[in-house]
Amino acid sequence: MSQTNPNEASPNPARPMVRAEGVRKNFGTLEVLKGISLEVQRGQVLCIIGPSGSGKSTFLRCINHLEKINAGRLYVDGELVGYREKNDKLYELHPREAARQRRDIGMVFQHFNLFPHRTVLENVIEAPIQVKKVAKRDAEATAQDLLARVGLSDKAGVYPAQLSGGQQQRVAIARALAMDPKLMLFDEPTSALDPELVGEVLGAMKRLASDGMTMVVVTHEMGFAREVADQLVFMDGGVVVEAGPPREVLENPQHERTKTFLSRLL
């Protein structure tokens, strides 16, 4: 599809926030993604489940061009990610242009990656000030609002080492939101947490979803997927094996691979 598509010229509420068309990704001779096609509508939550090595995290990283795709097309809000297209050929964007796209896509990783030498508030305001050139006073006011949103109003002046893992992950969510993204990506955000801390992070994500944020979440938390997701995708071996409403996929899976996977979890 050419970038001259008129749908890409201006915001369009009917346009998918994420559209993947035949996305393939190789690492050397290993084909990790084998033609992923899916859509996420604006305001929807898509949860991706599947065994380790199925390509879930790789696909997530392709959405914001942390990984380069080998074939297919990925669009976020109608804009081709990481490339420009001319005469049906893709040309990779300059790193500065790719970084511009990436600032509209928040990402929360398994590990929190906070700056240990900066306070919680300083962690949250760093990118808006440095990347978007937001005035410090404005960045701090936004950060305080975001910390309240994730239940950490009283932690602005402390350092990451003084926080629990669940609190650090909620700071990471606030930090991603500080860039005012149109899309949030979560790569197994609770997998590095002690079980008793998982609920507080999922609670912050549920509030985010209820506020209308478009989210793509790689997760093993089936209760969260059932309760919050609009779509559930099961990936295995680099392909989408099954997709549909979460309750249908979880309670009445159609494919043997899905049944086998879920039988080990549910």
Side-chain angles (χ1 to χ4, degrees):
M1 182 176 290
S2 169
Q3 280 191 290
T4 58
N5 186 330
N7 286 342
E8 297 180 11
S10 61
N12 179 354
R15 180 173 60 214
M17 180 59 77
V18 179
R19 186 169 83 250
E21 300 175 349
V23 171
R24 294 179 177 270
K25 172 64 182 176
N26 303 332
F27 291 107
T29 58
L30 178 63
E31 191 174 25
V32 178
L33 300 177
K34 303 175 182 177
I36 302 294
S37 296
L38 55 80
E39 289 187 353
V40 186
Q41 304 302 320
R42 195 176 305 268
Q44 281 194 337
V45 177
L46 169 69
C47 282
I48 305 176
I49 63 173
S52 297
S54 59
K56 309 182 301 296
S57 294
T58 297
F59 176 66
L60 204 68
R61 292 170 65 86
C62 288
I63 293 175
N64 65 357
H65 203 56
L66 288 176
E67 296 289 355
K68 302 174 185 179
I69 65 176
N70 296 104
R73 304 285 189 275
L74 261 170
Y75 299 88
V76 170
D77 200 16
E79 186 176 10
L80 189 61
V81 173
Y83 300 90
R84 61 182 175 85
E85 188 168 4
K86 187 175 181 181
N87 299 326
D88 291 328
K89 288 188 177 182
L90 294 183
Y91 300 88
E92 190 168 5
L93 294 179
H94 187 279
R96 187 178 303 159
E97 186 67 11
R100 180 196 64 76
Q101 288 186 333
R102 199 175 290 123
R103 25 177 237 203
D104 291 330
I105 305 171
M107 187 156 185
V108 178
F109 299 89
Q110 295 180 34
H111 301 285
F112 327 119
N113 301 324
L114 300 177
F115 297 118
H117 59 292
R118 297 186 187 277
T119 65
V120 164
L121 184 69
E122 289 168 343
N123 267 278
V124 176
I125 67 174
E126 174 81 6
I129 291 173
Q130 297 298 326
V131 178
K132 299 185 85 170
K133 309 304 180 187
V134 174
K136 185 177 181 182
R137 180 183 299 176
D138 294 338
E140 288 180 343
T142 299
Q144 294 285 7
D145 288 343
L146 290 172
L147 290 173
R149 197 168 166 187
V150 297
L152 293 172
S153 296
D154 58 336
K155 301 296 184 183
V158 308
Y159 289 87
Q162 299 169 274
L163 300 176
S164 70
Q167 290 171 329
Q168 290 187 59
Q169 191 62 295
R170 285 186 280 155
V171 174
I173 293 171
R175 179 180 61 180
L177 292 173
M179 291 294 284
D180 193 24
K182 61 178 69 173
L183 169 67
M184 284 286 286
L185 309 177
F186 293 86
D187 188 6
E188 301 195 34
T190 61
S191 66
L193 300 178
D194 292 332
E196 65 269 22
L197 302 177
V198 168
E200 63 188 56
V201 174
L202 295 180
M205 292 170 64
K206 287 176 186 177
R207 290 190 292 275
L208 195 56
S210 68
D211 289 341
M213 175 61 74
T214 310
M215 298 161 59
V216 181
V217 185
V218 172
T219 186
H220 290 297
E221 301 292 339
M222 297 300 143
F224 174 84
R226 185 193 305 266
E227 182 181 347
V228 179
D230 298 286
Q231 291 187 72
L232 184 65
V233 164
F234 171 61
M235 285 180 61
D236 193 14
V239 301
V240 172
V241 176
E242 190 161 350
R247 290 184 183 275
E248 285 185 21
V249 175
L250 293 174
E251 295 172 11
N252 189 28
Q254 300 300 301
H255 294 263
E256 285 303 320
R257 276 196 283 176
T258 316
K259 293 176 184 177
T260 301
F261 175 76
L262 292 175
S263 71
R264 297 171 182 156
L265 291 177
L266 301 178

